[in-house]
Amino acid sequence: MRPRGRPSSAAAKCVLLAGAALAVLWAGSAAAQTRAFRPPPPPPPVPDGLQPGELYMEADQIVRDDEHHIATAEGSVEIRYQDRTLRADRVVYQQGETPGQGVIRAIGHVQIINADGTYEFADTFVLDDKMRAGVAEGFSARLQENIKLAGATAVRRSEDLQELNRAIYTPCPICANNHAETPTWSVSAERIVQDKVHRVIYYRHAVIRVKGLPILYLPVFWHADPSADRASGLLGPRLEVSNRRGFSYEQPYLFVLSPYADLVLSPQLNTKVNPFLNGRFRERFYSGDMDVRFGYTHDQDFDGNGNRFGSNTSRSYILARGGFQLNDAWRWGFTAEHTSDPLLFDKYQIGDVYQTRGPYIPDDRRLISQVYAVRQDQQSYFSTAAMTFQGLRAGDIDRTFPVVAPLVEARYDVPEQVLGGRLRVNGSAVALTRSQSPTNLAANLPGLDSRRATAEVDWRGAYTSSSGLRVEPFVNARADGYSLGDVLTGVGAQTTSKSLGRGLAVVGADITYPLYRRWRDATVILEPVAQIAISPKAKQVVIGHDATGAPIYLNEDSVAFEFDESNLFRANKFPGYDLYEDGTRLNLGGRASVLWDDGRRADLLIGRSFRASRNTVFPTTSGLQTRASDWIVAADARPFTWLSFFARARLDSANLSVHRAEAGANVANKWGSGFVRYLRDDSNVPGPTLVGTTVIPAASRIENFEMGGDVPVGKHWGFTAYGNRDLIQKAWVMRDIGVYYRDDCTRVDVIYRREDIVIGRLGPTDSVALRLTLATLGSPFTVR
């Protein structure tokens, strides 16, 4: 193809002559359309500036043979028609016997640029006069996602069907620095068919090559067209060798049921145990969508070494979610999560189990089924829900988990200011029913049932003085009503019921005085913060007494309580409703920030809480029972664009010993990326649990270290690493190390992983995984 420049005046004349010649050739059909129909209003122009049916051509020279109805254009020919562009050294157009049956012959450096941005190249091209069907020699094409197709010959049967002979397919670069380069991977075949209607590329006698070396021969092979959003067909298989299931082969197949629904069936074949069928169904509706994962087998149970025991039985799981928008204000949805075996996901290597599928989220290794409805606008919020839980941890007994039905929450913000501040009205109600008490698992005592209704009024104002002092007064008043059933009396399994009501209130103010100053290229902000809150003595809900006679308070919604920087300046530090902080307290702290002009920053918070008297409602390990609380320290910084870190801690009020500490750092630059995390928590002391007939004692402390990273070596190679170590048990929970190769179209990972013993799981395992990802060929191909 010769370099293209601005056409000369002679060339411009040729353009006009070419337009006239083609107008003569097309005059017959145009006249017929004019006689047969009244001309419609002119449609809007297409992106190339031409009206539908119009044609534009330019060339250095045009020769017209009126006797034989042939027009020949030579020299930098360019034709635009119906949003397609044809370029060639020479183009010959011969009119057919009937309108619309002409033939275009393009010779020399032929290019066709389609409306979707794809390119086609050939030495010669014979096309119909719509440029939709034809035959080419020395053909190649560049499709979406930089896909390349090439063949000795090509037959374009229609706009949507194209065949190549002695062809090759690859998404990889095939030239670098103007030199030919062997693609990282390619598929060569005796015949390749691109079917745009069914959005599939078919191969006959296909050979998959890596760096030019043949690694796999397939008599018949197909995959989705890169232009297709999705199409039915095989997805990447998964292979694994383990002492649990022996050799395992899983082959997913995608069924596209409609433009809005699909189904993936993925049978898993194992040498040691029976097959397992995984599936996933997805469908999108006008108002929302639904996603359902499921699995089933009929087999005996087996341990970590694949030893089978027990009787054959059905084993299954379901992980489903759906969300729907009824109108601008209302939406509803559901999740359904259940498994017949707590270790089923570990036994059959089922991933992505513990994900957020709805508004209510359970703890790790626990499943939740819920149905909910939400209404929300600018002034109000209302939600109602019902849910159940399934525990998969060692010692979890589902009968001790409550059935929550219903859970109602409501909020209304008065649009106008009231007494110069914001007024909000809140409402809440919940009913919890459980079959067994979690306090004494071996005794199998009746479980506590509770029902609560709450109404609350919250007012907050804000005033700022001319000197910058900011005062935010607040008032909160609340009324609770409780109805309790199956309350243990302390005598065997005897129970009682009770109903009670209470009123709660708090009044106080937040006081801040931010100070700032410019220092070189940074802004320094110092902000002392104080909060004073006064409440009358709260009536806590007592459901029993322990062996020492101390009261046991109802606590359904503040079990996972942690005193940290997030609730230091909350008037009521309990996140739920059952427990309430009362008395007179003063929360003090100071914030400091340094903000550099180039985006760097550093923040520090130090604070603690003071009380007029002790408060034994807080747990003993919370750091809040004494008159002066533990110290709260939190800091985070980004000293460089490639480095950030954080640290937070709770220090003992008497000797500054560490009760809880969490720290971490993140690094990301051209040399690699990585992270480190450290956690120590003395306050996490779960109660004893029962596993079979064995009671597991309470844990004394959690101390954990986690790290991971990705370090590239050169342009294509790199290393990955991950580790999670339990510092109390002095053992690694999990660690892996890997090496990878990647380029524009391929990624190969080889990963060694070691999982150590975890209570309630299948025991230690070692694995070496090979993962091969080929661009445009679906999901990764994994070998373990």
Side-chain angles (χ1 to χ4, degrees):
M1 186 76 183
R2 289 191 294 270
R4 312 188 64 84
R6 185 173 181 175
S8 63
S9 58
K13 292 180 181 179
C14 290
V15 172
L16 296 177
L17 291 174
L22 288 171
V24 170
L25 296 177
W26 291 88
S29 61
Q33 292 175 359
T34 304
R35 289 191 299 269
F37 303 98
R38 177 177 294 178
V46 294
D48 60 8
L50 299 176
Q51 299 289 342
E54 287 187 343
L55 179 144
Y56 172 85
M57 182 174 75
E58 67 176 65
D60 294 339
Q61 179 179 341
I62 286 183
V63 177
R64 191 179 69 184
D65 185 346
D66 294 335
E67 180 180 355
H68 299 93
H69 303 290
I70 296 175
T72 303
E74 294 192 62
S76 301
V77 183
E78 179 172 313
I79 300 174
R80 283 183 284 163
Y81 177 69
Q82 291 190 348
D83 217 17
R84 282 189 174 86
T85 300
L86 169 66
R87 295 171 180 168
D89 295 341
R90 184 169 182 261
V91 174
V92 178
Y93 175 80
Q94 182 169 11
Q95 183 183 9
E97 295 182 359
T98 59
Q101 291 187 351
V103 176
I104 299 174
R105 290 180 174 85
I107 304 166
H109 303 92
V110 183
Q111 296 181 23
I112 296 179
I113 305 171
N114 297 305
D116 58 5
T118 59
Y119 283 73
E120 298 173 5
F121 309 88
D123 295 333
T124 62
F125 230 132
V126 179
L127 299 166
D128 64 2
D129 52 17
K130 300 294 191 301
M131 291 193 290
R132 294 177 179 173
V135 179
E137 294 182 357
F139 176 85
S140 63
R142 188 170 68 212
L143 310 178
Q144 287 91 348
E145 301 183 18
N146 204 27
I147 304 301
K148 274 78 69 178
L149 278 170
T153 60
V155 178
R156 188 172 184 174
R157 300 189 181 277
S158 67
E159 186 177 11
D160 300 314
L161 188 63
Q162 189 163 269
E163 300 177 9
L164 284 77
N165 298 305
R166 300 197 304 277
I168 186 172
Y169 168 101
T170 182
C172 305
I174 54 177
C175 61
N177 300 323
N178 297 322
H179 295 289
E181 184 177 87
T182 301
T184 304
W185 73 269
S186 63
V187 182
S188 59
E190 179 182 292
R191 184 183 181 196
I192 298 179
V193 178
Q194 183 185 16
D195 186 343
K196 292 186 178 180
V197 173
H198 298 93
R199 296 175 295 182
V200 176
I201 295 180
Y202 299 92
Y203 299 81
R204 181 178 179 183
H205 298 301
V207 177
I208 298 177
R209 301 176 185 270
V210 176
K211 285 295 184 180
L213 299 177
I215 62 170
L216 181 63
Y217 166 78
L218 297 169
V220 178
F221 174 63
W222 68 92
H223 63 80
D225 190 300
S227 63
D229 294 332
R230 56 201 182 103
S232 297
L234 297 172
L235 302 179
R238 290 186 285 271
L239 290 89
E240 179 181 353
V241 177
S242 69
N243 55 356
R244 296 174 182 170
R245 291 175 284 124
F247 176 77
S248 176
Y249 175 83
E250 185 170 349
Q251 178 59 68
Y253 190 92
L254 171 66
F255 297 89
V256 177
L257 306 179
S258 74
Y260 317 105
D262 59 34
L263 171 68
V264 176
L265 293 180
S266 185
Q268 181 188 101
L269 306 178
N270 309 290
T271 57
K272 280 191 174 183
V273 298
N274 287 351
F276 190 92
L277 177 64
N278 286 293
R280 184 172 190 175
F281 173 77
R282 300 182 300 177
E283 184 168 6
R284 180 171 291 277
F285 305 90
Y286 75 95
S287 61
D289 69 297
M290 182 171 59
D291 188 339
V292 181
R293 293 176 58 192
F294 56 89
Y296 176 81
T297 189
H298 190 272
D299 198 2
Q300 295 177 277
D301 202 355
F302 58 91
D303 58 21
N305 294 319
N307 299 315
R308 302 164 77 176
F309 58 90
S311 58
N312 285 314
T313 186
S314 294
R315 305 179 188 277
S316 60
Y317 74 89
I318 184 170
L319 302 170
R321 56 157 294 277
F324 307 91
Q325 193 78 33
L326 299 179
N327 53 42
D328 292 340
W330 280 95
R331 60 186 173 91
W332 77 278
F334 70 91
T335 68
E337 303 177 353
H338 186 78
T339 177
S340 62
D341 183 347
L343 298 175
L344 189 72
F345 303 121
D346 302 285
K347 292 173 181 176
Y348 294 96
Q349 290 293 306
I350 300 166
D352 299 327
V353 173
Y354 308 104
Q355 293 185 333
T356 301
R357 297 182 175 88
Y360 300 97
I361 306 170
D363 295 335
D364 184 42
R365 292 190 66 82
R366 283 174 178 163
L367 305 179
I368 181 172
S369 297
Q370 59 188 297
V371 60
Y372 61 90
V374 178
R375 185 192 185 281
Q376 186 172 10
D377 56 29
Q378 291 185 344
Q379 276 79 44
S380 64
Y381 173 86
F382 173 83
S383 70
T384 180
M387 65 198 75
T388 62
F389 304 90
Q390 181 182 14
L392 307 184
R393 298 179 185 177
D396 278 350
I397 298 177
D398 293 343
R399 296 189 304 276
T400 66
F401 296 143
V403 175
V404 183
L407 171 61
V408 179
E409 297 176 295
R411 182 189 72 241
Y412 176 72
D413 291 331
V414 178
E416 298 83 13
Q417 285 195 343
V418 177
L419 300 177
R422 183 266 299 154
L423 180 64
R424 173 176 294 171
V425 180
N426 299 318
S428 174
V430 66
L432 295 91
T433 305
R434 54 168 55 86
S435 301
Q436 180 180 340
S437 171
T439 57
N440 189 339
L441 301 179
N444 193 18
L445 301 175
L448 174 69
D449 301 332
S450 66
R451 291 159 291 278
R452 173 188 54 81
T454 296
E456 182 179 19
V457 177
D458 182 79
W459 178 89
R460 177 175 286 270
Y463 306 96
T464 305
S465 71
S466 58
S467 63
L469 179 67
R470 184 174 178 84
V471 180
E472 297 184 14
F474 59 85
V475 178
N476 181 279
R478 200 176 97 191
D480 296 334
Y482 280 89
S483 174
L484 307 178
D486 286 342
V487 181
L488 293 172
T489 62
V491 180
Q494 294 183 12
T495 61
T496 186
S497 300
K498 62 172 65 176
S499 298
L500 59 93
R502 64 178 181 179
L504 306 168
V506 61
V507 60
D510 294 335
I511 305 170
T512 61
Y513 190 56
L515 306 169
Y516 77 94
R517 181 177 179 179
R518 286 291 296 178
W519 180 68
R520 296 181 180 177
D521 61 343
T523 300
V524 180
I525 302 174
L526 300 178
E527 185 182 18
V529 183
Q531 181 189 72
I532 184 170
I534 303 172
S535 302
K537 184 174 179 59
K539 182 180 180 181
Q540 309 293 345
V541 181
V542 179
I543 58 174
H545 295 80
D546 62 17
T548 65
I552 299 174
Y553 301 113
L554 176 69
N555 183 16
E556 298 281 17
D557 49 19
S558 298
V559 177
F561 171 73
E562 183 66 50
F563 179 39
D564 57 23
E565 72 277 9
S566 66
N567 53 25
L568 172 62
F569 296 105
R570 285 190 55 179
N572 176 26
K573 294 179 174 57
F574 290 109
Y577 287 88
D578 294 337
L579 300 179
Y580 193 83
E581 183 180 6
D582 56 10
T584 302
R585 56 270 192 199
L586 177 64
N587 303 315
L588 292 177
R591 300 189 184 103
S593 300
V594 182
L595 309 175
W596 282 271
D597 296 341
D598 58 4
R600 295 176 295 153
R601 64 176 299 147
D603 300 279
L604 174 67
L605 168 67
I606 300 176
R608 67 189 308 196
S609 180
F610 298 89
R611 306 185 55 80
S613 59
R614 290 173 56 88
N615 190 330
T616 58
V617 177
F618 289 104
T620 56
T621 58
S622 66
L624 282 166
Q625 276 200 350
T626 57
R627 294 181 60 184
S629 75
D630 288 349
W631 287 89
I632 297 298
V633 180
D636 64 84
R638 181 178 289 273
F640 306 100
T641 57
W642 51 269
L643 172 65
S644 65
F645 62 83
F646 69 91
R648 54 182 61 94
R650 180 165 60 85
L651 310 178
D652 189 85
S653 59
N655 55 23
L656 298 182
S657 61
V658 178
H659 288 299
R660 190 179 192 278
E662 184 178 2
N666 299 281
V667 178
N669 55 34
K670 64 180 180 180
W671 293 288
S673 62
F675 71 91
V676 293
R677 299 285 187 272
Y678 171 80
L679 173 64
R680 174 179 174 176
D681 193 351
D682 294 343
S683 63
N684 195 317
V685 186
T689 56
L690 182 69
V691 180
T693 58
T694 304
V695 176
I696 301 175
S700 58
R701 192 176 80 215
I702 291 176
E703 192 170 5
N704 181 271
F705 175 78
E706 186 179 19
M707 64 175 294
D710 183 330
V711 181
V713 179
K715 182 179 179 180
H716 300 297
W717 294 90
F719 295 93
T720 61
Y722 173 80
N724 187 327
R725 183 171 178 82
D726 188 331
L727 299 178
I728 301 298
Q729 301 296 328
K730 297 181 179 180
W732 289 95
V733 178
M734 180 183 295
R735 56 191 183 271
D736 62 48
I737 186 169
V739 60
Y740 65 83
Y741 171 88
R742 65 180 177 186
D743 56 27
D744 293 340
C745 59
T746 307
R747 178 166 177 135
V748 182
D749 292 83
V750 179
I751 301 172
Y752 165 78
R753 169 167 293 181
R754 167 76 179 184
E755 298 181 36
D756 290 341
I757 294 177
V758 178
I759 295 175
R761 302 196 188 181
L762 293 176
T765 60
D766 291 276
S767 65
V768 177
L770 170 65
R771 178 176 300 166
L772 174 62
T773 305
L774 303 179
T776 77
L777 289 189
S779 56
F781 179 82
T782 303
V783 181
R784 294 182 181 272

